Amino acid sequence: MTGVQRMNKIISDIRETARQLLADGKVDVVIGYAKGSLPLKATPCFVHSAQEVDSLIWDETCENNLAAFVAKTPGKKAIVAKGCDSRALVVLLQENQLVRDDLYIIGVSCHGVIDQRKIGAEVGEILEASISDGKISVKGMEGDKEYLFAEVKDATCQTCRYPNPVIEDLHLGELIQVSQDVAAFADVSAMENKSESERQAYFKEQMSKCIRCYACRNACPLCYCQECFVDCNSPRWLTGGVDRAENLLFQAGRVLHLAGRCVDCGACSRACPQGVDIRALNRKMTKDVYEMYNHESGISEEGKPALNVYSANDPEEQFLVKE
Amino acid sequence: MSQNKIGSVLIVGAGIAGIQAALDLAESGYLVHLVEESSAIGGTMPMLDKTFPTNDCSMCILSPKLVECGRHLNIRTYTNSQVVKSEGEAGNFKVTIKQKARYIDLEKCTGCGACAEACPVKVDDEFNQGLGKRKAAFKQYSQAFPNAYGIDEKNCLYQTRGKAKGKDICLKCVKACQAGAIDHQMEDKEFEVEVGSMILNPGFKVFDASSLDYYGYGTIKSVITSLEFERLLSASGPFDGHLVRPFDQKEPQKIAWIQCVGSRNSKINHNYCSGVCCMYAIKEAVIAKEHSHIPVDTTIFYMDMRTPGKDFEKYYNNAKNNQGVNFIRSRVYEVTEAKDDSGDAVIRYSTEDGQICSDQFDLVVLSVGLEPGDSSKDLANMLDLKVNKYGFAELEPLSGVNTSKEGVFAAGAFSGPRDIPETVMQASAAAGAASALLSDERGTLVSEKEYPPELDVAGDVIRTGVFICHCGVNIGSVVNVPSVVEYAKTLPTVAYATDKIYACSQDAQASIKALIEEQKLNRIVVSSCSPRTHEPLFQETLKEAGLNAHLFDMANIRDQCSWVHMHEPEKATEKAKDLTKLAIVRASMQQPVQPIFMAMNHAALVIGGGVAGMTSALSLADQGYEVHLVEKDKVLGGVARRFSTGFRGEDMKAFVADLIDQVSNHPNIKLHVGVGIKDVGGFLGSFTTTLENGEQIAHGVALLTIGGQEYKPHEYLYGQDQRIMTQIEMDEALYNHDSKVENAKNFVFIQCVGSRCDENPYCSRTCCTKSVKLALKVKKKNPKANIFVLYRDMRTYGYFEEDYEEARRIGIIFVRYSENAKPVVNKEGETLVVTVTDHVLDRPLEIEADVICLAAAIKAPEDGRKLSKWFKIPLNADGFFLEAHMKLRPVDFSTDGVFMAGIAHSPKNMEEVITQAKAAAGRAGVALSKDQVESAGLNAFVNKRKCTACGTCEAVCSAKAVTVDLVNRVAVVNDALCKGCGACASSCRCGAISLRGCTNEQIVEMLNFL
Amino acid sequence: MIMEEIQVEAENKKYDPKIAAFLCNWCSYAGADLAGVGRIQYPPTIRTIRVPCSGRINPLYILKAMANGADGVLVSGCHPGDCHYISGNYVARRKFALIKSLLTYVGLEEDRVNFSWVSAAEGGRFAEVVKGVSERVGALGPNKGVFKVDDGGATDE
Amino acid sequence: MKISKVKFGQAFDALVSEYQIIAPVSDANGIAFQGVKSFSEVKQDYLNSKLPPKAFFFPQHEKLMSYKKEGKDVTVKSELKVEDTILFGIRPCDAKGMQLLDMVFKNDQYTDPYYYERREKAVIIGVACQKIAPTCFCSSFGMSPASSEGSDILFIDLGDSYEVEVITEKGKALAARFEALSELTADEQALVAKIKSAETSSKVDVSTTTSKLDKMFNSPFWDTLQEKCIGCNVCSFSCPTCHCFDISEEVRKNEGTRVRTWDGCMAPLFTLHGSGHNPRDHKKARWRQRMMHKFNYFVHNNGSMACVGCGRCIKSCPVNMDIRQVIDGANKAELVVE
């Protein structure tokens, strides 16, 4: 089978599965992806009846983490889940946000999603695009270009170690082998190795872009608080100010809340309309948690979020005051 | 026994045993008279730096108990006091106490230390083992209770030179004391108390090493005792925890410990093992390494390394394998001073194989043993108690705590050397025993304070009253108190602010009370000393004025300001203003907090009907509580039914039969025998346990006494030949006159079978003694028998050392083998041959054995895991129950209302099992004595609207007080269990759970005012 | 340039930092008391907030303290294993490690936010810790506003 | 008339001393309107800014006043700061957006001084679009890539020069500062005509939308419409006409400020009452509100739709909710007979 055929098979399997589940009354809704209104964009899609299943698609544009919708969607539901979506589902299950019996997970192995921002930066507004066997042809306002998928794979997906769902009721497509047996954090290490002032300058610049629209938070499957600390009136953790110091306070608070839980799906960064490098912060926490506590979030249902547990031997030298 | 029992108990000695017993009894409804010879309570523990095997800071874990004991309404503490006379009988004693003059009025002294500052006399500080100096006006240690100074009349200039002659010599302290607390005319007094029972725990003294001149103690400066070394390590010691040699301040790089100094020595009538020295030496060696800035080489010279306690072996292995402590099995001949003028000491010793060596050390620490204290002997004399040949009290067999006199109980080192947890266990056991004796009189003598009805301040405009204390000159001489007062007046909510010379004085309290009424104050802030010592005092004043005690906060502008910034008065004043401001902010946001009461079911459930379970059940039943005893076996008695005799020769069969008889006939005990447990739910005060037969038992507390199991050896051909048996089997064979043992000539005992190995890394504690006992039994019956005991370390701790010594004396042969050269058992035809390498002869030894007795390990009970899940209690790595605190809460679980005793906690002998069983019953009795489960109320609470039921709070709560209600999707705090640490609140991402008295709002508002 | 640096250094020395100190009630606060009893002198830079346990310290407190212009933060609790509440400081330890790491990562000067374990017996050590922290925070000069927020708006250095 | 870019540049640079000049610049994040000091900083070839220029009159975060209590004395200080401002390079959609905002902040019932005073002192130089993005749909609203509504002066880029069209009196006064204006050549006239007649290729039919919405409050259309919305504020914050705000008090110690901050109707907090009650407690109600406000209520109140077809919300939406499809959906939705 060619890549296109494989993809089409997955799509038809998704549709068939959805049709069956809905027809049998096993679920009330299937949460998957549909073709978006813009080129290279997919959009979350909620299918309520067997008649609508043909709007479901699957390809490299399916970038949203659908786990973000699951807890808020009432009834029994099926969800099309990539590796990262499934990891988020695991954390949500660990944190009592989901009832496993109400959930049917259609697992799909994922080679990664397209970083359309990168393409947009080169070709301008994208007018048309097509994907075929690992190649992406784009027609843009500033010119046309053809890419290999690997060139425009989202940064998150480049270090992904869990392309296959870690929890699922049904698997579609072939399993993907990943070579990394240990998590790679070259991006974080590179930032760590910069000087204090370089790092400060970098995050100042990033934070000055943030407009506090909270798309990052709302796109995150694990930001499900009834009331986010930024919205809390008493105490006021943050003022209403939108400036880089306040924004950093928000982002720092948020990543601390995600520390040991974040599944590194990259939804926050992709959701950000301003291109703030939010993932840089989450990745740092992910690296620390991995290195200090040998913990990766959402890879097994038995696991617990890293900050919910401790060991008497947890490292402490690096943060205790030097005497 | 007297018919007119009295509901109060006299406790002699206020070390950790006395404090624990006093707290247990006072909390269960008895008036306690606590008599302490020295000027402060605490005993030996405050002198120790860290405690094994957890390396806990001794002072840290003790000090909350000191405070609690010190301010308990029903504990009357008499310091500088001794019991001088006693008459009467169990249930009703009249005791005369003599209290020596302190010369400082406890009522007036604020503990400020001005007297000590002014006192010109410097003498050796006993608390620091003479390594430092103190004044004649002194406090033993800074956290001491009473938090008051005293004058040492033997050294005070006025007392020694002035008073008799009527001359006003010195008296600098009188001038220095702004509180007018010093009264040099104070006189000793004698008074009588009536008590129903007595608990004696006068403690121990350490062996005087100078009496053995070959150790050089007292002549060689670099030879010190282990207790002196503790003070060197201690952060509050004479060198502030800086590890140096006392005489030249040199940082030692090479330190040696010599074990058994004054222990295991029959020549000086110290033929017992002090039990604690091996562990403390290892601990000191490890801590020394951690403590020092430079690498330290540590060596321990020992005969047998005796680490048979819970988790001790692990500690020892860690020291040996990971920390690099050297262990040399040896016999030390002498310690001499190095010839090179370095001040060092040289140890001459012989190793196991007979080589004689010597080595030079910067510091030599003598691991001195424990012996009866001087006052112990007087006390035993006065009360006419039986003592053993060493002078320790002799307890009634298999009683754990009973002295030879009815109604008089003992705890701690009074009856022999023991470590802290054993001491604490005995104290709780003694308290339980006293409580059982006096149960009819519970609650008759205790008092409860009454307060005016509480004012409702809800919705009132906040009017904060601020009181800034001068503390004489302590604060006032550094901080500009009036300017702090003026500043306070400008702050939000402050309706009134003033200064006080001593805010804690009686008249100041009266004035605060009056001002609360006059000025309609509804929040109070006191800026003075530490809330840790004084908060309860001021809160008391609030309550007396009708205000809720929590409408209050303190700023510590003395201990944490004026005293530590003495040379920067301006900055100190600024800081005092800021600290006062923060306290005002916090206080203004305080809300009344009411204690929370929950129902208390007064029945106990005991799980496991062995000796531990039956003993606990009886003790609780005698204390007057209904007890359900559940045993899954068809018969009671547990493993003890298979034992013939106890370690002191007691008839175990008769003992167990008697116990079964007692529990079967006790009106308060309901037996559930032959039935297991299906499920457990609930918490302190209201547990419900479902038995396998469907029966449900409601109970307020649970005691887990499920015993252990004998290791089934898969080594040494066990199971392949009837002549190879475990200790229990051999005991049975001897008891039954089995021909296998009756006719045997050659006996080989192999120790550490399944213990101290990879599979079970701990020591099973009892097997060395058991083997020695069995060997003695055989040898005495058949003197011609050849008996070999193959061992790794002979761990005949305590008085069992006598048996070991006797065994060697009468010709039982002890052969040591090492871990990596274990004995080998072969069967050559019908002959059993044991081969072992003898370390002394350094060659293999072959023994033809008629009987091989294997010292099989004691393993954790199988059911531990189930109970662990049901009761939310932890197990240690070896599967034994893990207590709430290894030192101070040895029978409690971290889950309130659940207690443990016996083998399920860790291997131990019968006497120890009984002590622990009584201790568990004592602790359980404290809980059961309450009408209701009460919590202070400074608990976590949940905002249901914000809660997402994520379970983080539940995961981080060590008290198991928070659970998620998945039906209503909200976290629920169990007020009976919540300890108020706030880990849940700081872990809650959505801000749904917070802590009363320390809310996010309060902290953030304080930060806003920073 | 060098002259300027020297001058800046000299000016920084004159300045007294204000450090928010979160101390656990059972160990570090007691250790601070003990320093007082021993009259061990240390700089008057800390403003203590007493909390029941280091486990009570929400990482947001540290951010908030920095946002409110504290020049430094000191958090101190019982040594691991000594926690009055059994495991409060173990739970806190992971949070502390992460927040410290994160703050350093985003460019907050490493010495601004400090963590230590001080026992009830370590009065001298408490003073040493405060001395060390004060010196290092002092050397950094006032809060430069990586997080500092003033009246709802940021102050840039 | 036209002005050469060189001459305009000189005039521009001269005006810097008198005016705060806001113009499009290129930064790491794309195009943004920022204060500039020289014409050379201005980005010439651009589609439109990432965020709308409304923030210059209606900042995302604005101190309204500050106050302080010392002892018994209370001092209150206004925080309004106004400067003469030129906004250069505003696209017709955004200029129109500004006009719509004027209706909100200055009307017969209320005049917001913070908005109004800044708006009064500002001159808008619009620049017509020559490139049209696939998300642009201004032609749906009777506008075009070169329409002049809302601009005081409209420029059309002719390469080396701009065609200058003075629209208002304010524009006239400013245009008087331009020198060396000249007539357009025939080619240029043709180019201008072409640009002026251009339309966006994307268009939605809004002719019946308002009246349809009148009857749609209880339509099932809203039930599923919002399912994929994550409730962020990207659409509101990137919209040139969205104008909802929150006023809060930032109090510390004895002083405080009153601040106004953008708010967005997609967030549940927007309508949360102090009591805990939330009249729009579901995304369904929030999405209905968004649509009603833009295409119905605003029309009834101000006679115009509150959408200018700039397409920013379409581009920025993290889940690709496309307002064109939503309008379309509403147009086609079945009505529920009540």
Side-chain angles (χ1 to χ4, degrees), chain B residues 546-594:
Chain B
L547 277 185
N548 185 284
H550 298 279
L551 301 173
F552 174 75
D553 199 19
M554 268 183 93
N556 187 343
I557 60 168
R558 186 186 75 178
D559 308 43
Q560 298 189 15
C561 187
S562 66
W563 276 354
V564 288
H565 313 308
M566 297 173 95
H567 314 301
E568 296 170 286
E570 275 165 26
K571 288 177 184 173
T573 302
E574 283 312 302
K575 180 172 171 182
K577 285 179 182 173
D578 279 353
L579 293 176
T580 302
K581 174 174 70 182
L582 293 179
I584 291 168
V585 170
R586 179 178 226 148
S588 70
M589 297 176 78
Q590 292 281 47
Q591 292 300 323
V593 176
Q594 305 300 345

Side-chain angles (χ1 to χ4, degrees), chain A residues 37 43 48 211 236 240 274, chain D residues 29 227-228 250 319-320 322:
Chain A
S37 70
T43 184
H48 296 272
I211 55 170
R236 290 272 278 169
Q274 292 291 91
Chain D
N29 205 28
E227 278 174 321
K228 63 184 171 185
E250 307 293 357
V319 293
N320 187 213
D322 190 323

Side-chain angles (χ1 to χ4, degrees), chain D residues 91-109:
Chain D
R91 293 304 188 189
C93 53
D94 288 338
K96 167 77 178 179
M98 231 70 98
Q99 223 175 29
L100 297 172
L101 286 184
D102 290 348
M103 297 176 185
V104 176
F105 288 106
K106 184 189 180 305
N107 52 45
D108 49 6
Q109 280 152 33

Side-chain angles (χ1 to χ4, degrees), chain B residues 56 112 142 235 530 532 535 556 559-560 563-566 571 575 578 586 958 986-987 998 1000 1007-1008, chain C residues 16 18 29-30 33-34 36 39-42 44 46-47 50 55-56 61 68 81-82 85-87 95 121:
Chain B
D56 273 339
C112 75
S142 45
S530 178
R532 296 178 66 258
E535 194 170 48
N556 187 343
D559 308 43
Q560 298 189 15
W563 276 354
V564 288
H565 313 308
M566 297 173 95
K571 288 177 184 173
K575 180 172 171 182
D578 279 353
R586 179 178 226 148
S958 59
S986 67
S987 298
C998 186
N1000 285 343
L1007 292 171
N1008 282 341
Chain C
D16 282 313
K18 205 177 253 195
Y29 195 93
D33 279 353
L34 187 60
R39 309 295 195 276
I40 306 167
Q41 304 295 299
Y42 55 84
I46 58 166
R47 300 294 179 263
R50 184 168 67 121
R56 177 66 188 95
Y61 295 166
N68 281 354
D82 286 358
Y85 303 100
I86 301 169
S87 61
K95 293 194 194 106

Side-chain angles (χ1 to χ4, degrees), chain B residues 651-672:
Chain B
D651 180 347
M652 283 309 293
K653 306 275 178 200
F655 174 75
V656 174
D658 180 52
L659 264 183
I660 295 174
D661 189 50
Q662 285 187 58
V663 294
S664 304
N665 295 314
H666 201 294
N668 287 348
I669 298 179
K670 182 152 194 283
L671 295 176
H672 307 264

Side-chain angles (χ1 to χ4, degrees), chain B residues 14-17 19 36 38 40-51 56-63 65-66 126-129 140-145 204 227 230-238 283 420 888, chain C residues 34 120-121:
Chain B
I16 183 59
I19 291 170
E36 167 59 37
S38 77
I41 65 174
T44 307
M45 246 188 105
M47 298 177 195
L48 308 180
D49 176 42
K50 301 277 170 64
T51 58
D56 273 339
C57 150
S58 183
M59 197 61 233
C60 301
I61 57 177
L62 177 66
S63 97
K65 293 220 182 216
L66 292 177
E126 306 85 344
F127 186 79
N128 277 326
Q129 300 300 300
Q140 270 187 50
Y141 56 101
S142 45
Q143 298 91 337
F145 175 85
F204 62 89
L227 201 48
E230 291 284 342
R231 295 314 298 153
L232 290 186
L233 288 177
S234 172
S236 62
K283 173 202 72 180
I420 294 169
L888 298 188
Chain C
L34 187 60

Side-chain angles (χ1 to χ4, degrees), chain B residues 290-352:
Chain B
E290 282 179 3
H291 230 68
S292 186
H293 302 284
I294 50 172
V296 180
D297 183 43
T298 56
T299 305
I300 297 178
F301 292 91
Y302 71 104
M303 299 196 282
D304 291 287
M305 198 30 75
R306 293 186 169 171
T307 52
K310 189 173 188 178
D311 281 353
F312 291 2
E313 187 72 8
K314 199 161 59 182
Y315 195 87
Y316 168 40
N317 286 332
N318 180 50
K320 192 167 53 176
N321 303 329
N322 305 326
Q323 307 273 359
V325 177
N326 305 318
F327 289 86
I328 300 181
R329 193 184 292 271
S330 56
R331 189 160 275 276
V332 170
Y333 292 124
E334 62 172 350
V335 183
T336 52
E337 189 156 4
K339 303 257 179 327
D340 56 6
D341 284 343
S342 57
D344 293 358
V346 176
I347 300 178
R348 197 161 66 83
Y349 62 97
S350 79
T351 57
E352 199 179 14

